[in-house]
Structures are given as structure tokens and as C-alpha cells.
Amino acid sequence: MSRGGGGHEYQITVFSPEGKLFQVEYAFKAVKTSGLTSVATKGKDIAVVCTEKKVTDLLIDPSSVSNIYNITDTIGALTTGITPDAKAIISRLRMEAADYKFENGHTIPIDILSQRWADLAQLYTQKMFMRPLGVETMLVSIDDERGSQIYKIDPSGHFLGYKACTAGIKEVEASNYLAKQFKKKEDLHTTYSDNETIQLAIGTLQNVLSTDFKSTDIEVGIISRREKKFRKLTPLEIEEHLNALSSKD
Amino acid sequence: MTDFSLTTFSSKGKLLQIEYALLAASKGETAIGLKARNGVVLAVEKQPPNPLVDETSYTKIQNIAGHVGAVYAGLAPDFRVLLQKARKHAQVYQLRYREPVLCSNLCRETAQIVQEFTQSGGVRPFGVSVLTAGYDDDGPHLYQIDPSGAYYEWKATAIGRNTKNAKSFLEKRYKADLELEDAIQTTLLTLKEGFEGTMTAKNIEVGIVKSDMVFRTLTEAQIKDYLDESA
């Protein structure tokens, strides 16, 4: 028993001799098995989530394939990772939001929702009854007091607010690309217009995936001060943004 | 699956899961605590993992109650769990006894929870060391709680990456009659010692509690004033 986990530190969430939690690290790897990359950006009056849309089989109804969900009217979610795990999370988030509204009379603030989910995720890393879920969840919303917000919760139970964030197989490349944009304009997350923010998200994906998208290759969700409800962009709107991006180059 | 402990004795009589948890905690960002004659200071590094993180979206130094604050080194999600349990205990105590919870009581109970997770079935130990700073009827107190469940009251201490160097630095400079203002300066100097890169008011957090029994975190402007003073 000199290894201290009995050799089980790979299978359940006990510490390894190096002080690591292997199951959590493996959960992060599982996020990448979906093969997709996701980006979230925010601007002055808008928060945007954007991800690839890969329909693996021609016989699948493409309208049923999506990683973008409404949690409430004003909070949107984008999941990256194992789809069944993602659906479990979304169900739970919707339930938490509804319970909060019932008990407190107002929509759950996005940071409270994020913390609620992060605390559950932490539970799975400490107790043996459930494995960590292989999903990174991005939540976006607009708050009257704090403006546009992006939160990301990962399998370890960490959650943070972001100026922009990425997840998935090319998350590092996308993150580097966004960091460069921030170097050019430090406050873009508080000044960018709606269109600039949407095009930043789409542009980041295009850049790291080195492909020219058709409007059906990606899905984009937005919550803006103007529209006040989280919704997905139609293929026509996506087309307009793609055209705007290509004319900029 | 949950009726046996995952933390069991090795053939050498060690509890390896606890040692590994201590290792996880010691890899965290350095945090310093210093007890002065008339108050306590906590300070911690705050360098987000990635430049895209909105550093205003989270604070590492948190209140447990009005008169007690805490900071951690190690796994942030584990800290949140202990924080919630400690906060609840503080409120239950307040309701029952009509008095702010004594720091010794609070830390003893929190440490008890940490210990339970080293012995109960189906759970792993917490991967955080916690420093709590409070001012109660007995005066100022600084406590440290380790992943083993051991807790000690300190005059000055450090947790996280730079513990060893920070503690020798503090040993040289500690005086029993230190005033809070000087303690803040000393704490900042200690934090600066092991800081990777340039320490500014933006990449650290500082919390203090005085005889007014209100634990508060300093604003960026206030931290900047202290840093400018020492420059």
C-alpha cells in the first residue's frame, strides 16, 4: 500500500503521490474528445458564445444537434465535451435556476448559478459516488449592474469570470489569439459593439481552425441589452457576419 | 462503495493520502498571515492562470463572519466547501449564543470537518491549507488549518509555494508589540520576497481586522498606498 491510493488514484478521485487528482485531469481530457472548439466573448452590451457544429451523419436532423442552451430567458449556456454529460448539467442548471426564481422571486444571478454548479462539480471530485463530468460549461448573461458577463465552470469545480474564454480541442490556440486581441485593445470587453463582439468570436474560431465556414458549420448564441433574451443567431445572420469578416481581410 | 475509508495506513504507518493532500496545498499561491498587537493581516498572491480571466470576478480572501476572514492555498473548489461550512457554523453560533463566534471555536470546528474527510468512507481529504484571521472578545487571532485537520494558532505564518522562505523572513521581523500598520508593511514585504514577477496592487489581495471587529479586504487604491510607502 506504499502508493497511498492503492493504485486506485487513476480510477477514483483520491490524491496521487504528486498531489494530483487524476480523475479530474482525465475529465479535462474527455472534454477534448468531442473534437470541438468553443469561444465566448463579451462587449459593451452583449455576450456571445460560439462553437462549431459538426453533424456526424447525413441522416441526423441537424436542428436537434446543438451545444447552446437557454438556462433562463436571460442566461445562456454553451457546453463543450461529452454530450450526454452536458445534457445532465443543463437539466440541473435549469432546475437550480427555476428553484431560485420560485424561492427568491427574481432571476438567479449568473455568478450564483455558476457557483452552484461549480460546488456540485467539486463534490464529484471529492466523494466517491459519482465521477467528474467531462464538460466545460460557459454561462453568459447581461446584468443591469455588472454589464455583460461570462463564466466558465470546469470539471475540477473551478469557476471564474472571463473577459473572453475558450474551451475544447483548440482552446490554447484560441486563447492565444484572443490574448493578442486584448493586447491591441485592453478594454475591448467593455467597449466592443454588438457586431464587433460577434465577429470577434466567429473570427477567433475561423483563425484557429483555418477553415472558411459556411453558416451551417457554426452556431452562435447571443444575449444583448437590445434584445434582452438569449437566443441563437439564424443561419442568415451568421452568413452576414461571415461576409463582414471576409470583407475585412 | 462508500463504507470504507480511502485514507488508510501504509505499512510504514503513514497516511499517504494526507501527505499528498498537503503536497497539493503546498503548490498553491503563497498566502501570509501576521498577528499584530491590535489586529491581524492576511495577504495572498492573485495571479490568474490565464490573461483572459476577469480578475474582478473572484476574490480569494473571503469573510467567514463579520469579524473573521480566511484565505487559502491549494484547491479553490475545496476551499469553497470549507468556507460554506464555516460560515454556517458561525451563524448557528451567533443565533444560539447571541455573540460573535470565538475564533478558537470556529477553527476547531472547521478543523474537525477537515479531519473527518481524512477518515470517513468514500471521500478524499481536502487539498487546501486555510489561514483564518479574526478579532473576538479574546483579541486578535491567526489560525492555520491543514489538510490533516491539524490546526495551530500562529503569531505569523505562510502557506503555499513559498512557505519556507516566507516563514524565515517573518521569523526575523516578528515583534510581539507590532502595530497593525507596520504589520501590513511587513506582510507585503514578505509576499514580495517570493513573488514571481512584479508585485502590484492588482495582483495581490490584502485583508485586515482590527478592534472594530470588522474583517475587510483593502481596496486596490489602499494597497497601492501601502506599496508606495514602502518603495
Side-chain angles (χ1 to χ4, degrees):
Chain A
M1 267 289 197
S2 59
R3 291 214 77 203
H8 290 306
E9 62 267 26
Y10 298 101
Q11 288 140 21
I12 51 178
T13 54
V14 288
F15 284 110
S16 75
E18 297 82 35
K20 298 196 213 177
L21 293 168
F22 278 114
Q23 273 296 297
V24 175
E25 294 190 17
Y26 295 163
F28 275 98
K29 293 209 173 112
V31 171
K32 300 200 196 299
T33 60
S34 69
L36 299 180
T37 306
S38 308
V39 173
T41 54
K42 65 177 183 172
K44 188 157 169 289
D45 297 311
I46 189 172
V48 179
V49 289
C50 178
T51 186
E52 297 176 77
K53 183 162 172 161
K54 281 198 192 145
V55 182
T56 48
D57 195 322
L58 282 174
L59 293 175
I60 295 179
D61 179 355
S63 64
S64 72
V65 174
S66 176
N67 284 321
I68 297 183
Y69 306 88
N70 271 70
I71 305 296
T72 67
D73 275 345
T74 54
I75 301 178
L78 168 58
T79 58
T80 314
I82 304 176
T83 309
D85 285 6
K87 295 218 194 280
I89 292 172
I90 296 297
S91 262
R92 185 64 192 256
L93 285 170
R94 284 172 172 163
M95 192 201 78
E96 295 284 344
D99 273 353
Y100 185 98
K101 177 90 187 261
F102 179 71
E103 284 173 19
N104 298 286
H106 64 274
T107 311
I108 189 168
I110 188 175
D111 54 336
I112 306 268
L113 182 62
S114 305
Q115 175 152 353
R116 186 76 192 99
W117 171 234
D119 286 346
L120 271 168
Q122 188 278 344
L123 210 61
Y124 304 152
T125 73
Q126 191 166 28
K127 299 209 175 190
M128 214 160 71
F129 70 122
M130 280 178 74
R131 60 168 172 81
L133 292 178
V135 183
E136 286 187 38
T137 314
M138 293 179 195
L139 295 175
V140 288
S141 180
I142 292 225
D143 194 280
D144 283 326
E145 292 166 27
R146 316 237 307 253
S148 54
Q149 300 189 80
I150 303 172
Y151 279 84
K152 186 169 81 152
I153 306 109
D154 63 34
S156 68
H158 273 97
F159 82 103
L160 290 169
Y162 284 83
K163 303 173 199 166
C165 72
T166 65
I169 200 161
K170 293 250 175 186
E171 83 174 291
V172 176
E173 290 90 333
S175 186
N176 291 338
Y177 178 83
L178 283 167
K180 262 193 254 161
Q181 307 311 311
F182 274 91
K183 275 221 163 66
K184 288 191 218 158
K185 195 172 181 349
E186 227 182 82
D187 58 355
L188 70 86
H189 61 294
T190 50
T191 54
Y192 261 22
S193 71
D194 289 7
N195 284 339
E196 285 175 309
T197 314
I198 298 173
Q199 283 161 24
L200 176 63
I202 301 178
T204 307
L205 268 190
Q206 265 194 329
N207 186 283
V208 299
L209 296 170
S210 316
T211 46
D212 277 320
F213 294 130
K214 294 198 292 292
S215 61
T216 48
D217 287 338
I218 56 172
E219 41 173 4
V220 182
I222 62 167
I223 169 90
S224 65
R225 225 185 273 277
R226 216 166 25 94
E227 294 181 30
K228 299 196 196 337
K229 280 199 197 302
F230 179 82
R231 68 172 181 91
K232 291 200 269 199
L233 292 183
T234 64
L236 206 58
E237 289 172 309
I238 297 180
E239 181 90 41
E240 282 171 15
H241 287 291
L242 286 169
N243 289 336
L245 270 171
S246 58
S247 63
K248 257 193 242 173
D249 290 334
Chain B
M1 273 295 256
T2 57
D3 51 2
F4 62 91
S5 177
L6 300 173
T7 308
T8 52
F9 286 106
S10 72
S11 56
K12 294 200 172 66
K14 293 200 206 184
L15 290 166
L16 290 170
Q17 274 299 300
I18 299 179
E19 288 191 20
Y20 303 157
L22 273 155
L23 190 58
S26 69
K27 287 192 192 166
E29 291 184 306
T30 312
I32 316 279
L34 222 177
K35 184 170 73 174
R37 187 190 59 79
N38 54 345
V40 194
V41 190
L42 292 179
V44 68
E45 296 179 357
K46 186 179 174 178
Q47 311 217 62
N50 153 350
L52 296 176
V53 170
D54 184 354
E55 68 277 356
T56 61
S57 74
Y58 70 105
T59 43
K60 290 177 73 172
I61 300 185
Q62 293 280 340
N63 277 66
I64 295 179
H67 63 302
V68 189
V71 74
Y72 69 96
L75 301 177
D78 288 8
F79 175 66
R80 284 204 311 271
V81 176
L82 286 175
L83 190 62
Q84 278 180 340
K85 292 191 198 275
R87 280 172 169 167
K88 182 166 180 184
H89 175 78
Q91 291 307 309
V92 168
Y93 187 104
Q94 167 80 43
L95 273 172
R96 190 173 291 158
Y97 300 107
R98 298 298 216 197
E99 260 184 22
V101 65
L102 291 175
C103 295
S104 55
N105 179 296
L106 179 65
C107 293
R108 188 174 59 240
E109 292 303 312
T110 310
Q112 174 68 18
I113 294 169
V114 176
Q115 190 283 338
E116 276 168 12
F117 275 71
T118 68
Q119 200 174 10
S120 300
V123 294
R124 62 162 174 80
F126 285 97
V128 272
S129 287
V130 177
L131 290 180
T132 63
Y135 203 111
D136 59 27
D137 291 337
D138 287 340
H141 297 281
L142 171 67
Y143 281 90
Q144 177 181 341
I145 305 167
D146 276 341
S148 59
Y151 73 104
Y152 303 99
E153 187 165 5
W154 292 84
K155 300 172 190 167
T157 187
I159 52 175
R161 272 197 292 260
N162 201 38
T163 299
K164 221 158 162 222
N165 293 336
K167 288 209 326 211
S168 5
F169 194 88
L170 286 167
E171 260 176 68
K172 287 191 211 119
R173 280 168 184 68
Y174 181 77
K175 288 197 289 285
D177 56 354
L178 209 56
E179 292 291 313
L180 186 60
E181 292 297 305
D182 297 324
I184 297 173
Q185 285 297 351
T186 309
T187 309
L188 290 172
L189 273 170
T190 316
L191 199 60
K192 202 168 178 179
E193 271 296 293
F195 201 89
E196 277 172 35
T198 323
M199 191 171 94
T200 69
K202 274 192 196 297
N203 51 26
I204 59 172
E205 277 179 32
V206 182
I208 59 168
V209 63
K210 312 195 276 258
S211 53
D212 59 1
M213 286 177 67
V214 176
F215 183 90
R216 53 167 68 86
T217 46
L218 298 182
T219 64
E220 203 182 296
Q222 288 171 314
I223 300 178
K224 189 162 184 305
D225 285 339
Y226 282 107
L227 289 174
D228 288 341
E229 252 179 63
S230 66

